[in-house]
Amino acid sequence: MSRFLHTMLRVGDLQRSVDFYTKGFGMNEIRRTDVPDGKYTLAFVGYGTEEANTVIELTYNYGTEKYDLGSAFGHLAIGVPDVAATTETLRSFGAKVTREPGPVKFGKTIIAFVEDPDGYKIELVQRA
């Protein structure tokens, strides 16, 4: 059976990004692999095992602290039980809130947008 496995994001500070996703979103660090010969480290974070869930692969390339994100990538979307509370938790970790919690235009679904430490946009979608 085919399914999505993971989304890879290049990050400038691996531990800062792991902390953001684990402490801010309640994800778990599933595994970490350091590859000195390749000069990179991978950390996989998510809500469950890779065998049953889609996860995020955070890739740190030695010596690279910042990336140009470009204009093609849109955002990640994460369902949360309380958008307002999650927004405040993420704000306490230094997340930039780019859209405060509230209903989508012409709808009722509560959303917010934040940026992770590397500037990747994340949509929070309220799921009861």
Side-chain angles (χ1 to χ4, degrees):
M1 174 187 277
S2 300
R3 68 175 183 88
F4 277 105
L5 299 177
H6 64 262
T7 294
M8 187 272 268
L9 301 176
R10 290 181 178 90
V11 301
D13 180 326
L14 185 61
Q15 194 56 53
R16 177 187 68 189
S17 293
V18 167
D19 287 347
F20 179 81
Y21 286 97
T22 59
K23 295 177 181 175
F25 283 104
M27 294 182 186
N28 297 305
E29 182 174 342
I30 298 163
R31 66 182 168 101
R32 187 181 293 219
T33 304
D34 187 41
V35 185
D37 290 341
K39 298 183 180 177
Y40 66 90
T41 303
L42 308 176
F44 290 79
V45 297
Y47 292 110
T49 66
E50 291 176 82
E51 293 75 28
N53 297 274
T54 303
V55 299
I56 299 172
E57 173 189 333
L58 302 171
T59 299
Y60 171 70
N61 292 296
Y62 296 5
T64 304
E65 295 179 10
K66 185 167 176 50
Y67 289 93
D68 294 327
L69 299 184
S71 61
F73 179 79
H75 65 270
L76 301 173
I78 298 176
V80 298
D82 185 332
V83 167
T86 302
T87 300
E88 289 310 309
T89 297
L90 295 171
R91 194 186 314 264
S92 76
F93 286 109
K96 179 180 176 184
V97 178
T98 59
R99 186 209 192 265
E100 293 292 336
V104 295
K105 195 172 188 175
F106 309 114
K108 296 179 183 178
T109 304
I110 304 298
I111 66 167
F113 276 89
V114 300
E115 290 182 2
D116 82 355
D118 291 281
Y120 292 106
K121 291 175 180 36
I122 302 166
E123 179 183 12
L124 307 175
V125 181
Q126 190 147 312
R127 300 282 191 198

